[in-house]
Amino acid sequence: QVQLVESGGGLVQAGGSLRLSCAASGRTSSTYHMAWFRQAPGKEREFVAVINWSGGNTYHADSVKGRFTISRDNAKSTVYLQMTSLKPEDTATYYCAAKITGASTFYIGPPSYDYWGQGTQVTVSS
């Protein structure tokens, strides 16, 4: 089992920045990909970014590419999402997720992930 706890959400003006954190505990010795998803009211959960176990490979959704950066610190069992140039359309609940895998293939569909955090709210005002 892996437990994930997100933090760092809040209210920010358009153009501002936030850094989300996701702390993992439990079975953190396994190799796993970590990802961020988001879900706005009335919409489906949307892939944002994913990072592999070593942190050497990442993939970002086109909607956030160039503005958001995913990273991880395995010594702290924590993954981050640095968000810059925020837009009102970035408003959503942000979730981190873990997929236990030794493969290099990235997955962007929510059903592919094994563990989820409770989410943290990000609100961007115009």
Side-chain angles (χ1 to χ4, degrees):
Q1 291 288 329
V2 175
Q3 293 78 43
L4 304 173
V5 179
E6 303 97 333
S7 61
L11 173 65
V12 63
Q13 288 188 333
S17 300
L18 280 176
R19 189 178 80 156
L20 305 183
S21 300
C22 174
S25 61
R27 191 182 155 192
T28 56
S29 60
S30 299
T31 57
Y32 51 97
H33 293 168
M34 293 293 295
W36 287 97
F37 290 80
R38 65 186 182 186
Q39 189 167 20
K43 294 188 176 182
E44 293 187 350
R45 194 162 295 192
E46 174 190 24
F47 167 78
V48 175
V50 61
I51 188 167
N52 70 337
W53 164 247
S54 68
N57 288 315
T58 62
Y59 178 71
H60 297 77
D62 287 344
S63 59
V64 305
K65 201 169 292 183
R67 300 188 298 121
F68 293 9
T69 303
I70 190 171
S71 62
R72 69 191 293 170
D73 183 341
N74 285 343
K76 297 181 179 179
S77 298
T78 300
V79 63
Y80 304 98
L81 185 68
Q82 180 67 49
M83 306 186 294
T84 64
S85 302
L86 282 160
K87 305 175 182 179
E89 51 263 45
D90 294 318
T91 295
T93 301
Y94 283 71
Y95 299 89
C96 71
K99 176 176 177 61
I100 306 297
T101 179
S104 59
T105 303
F106 281 151
Y107 298 85
I108 64 172
S112 297
Y113 286 78
D114 303 302
Y115 303 100
W116 291 85
Q118 82 290 348
T120 185
Q121 178 67 36
V122 172
T123 303
V124 184
S125 63
S126 56

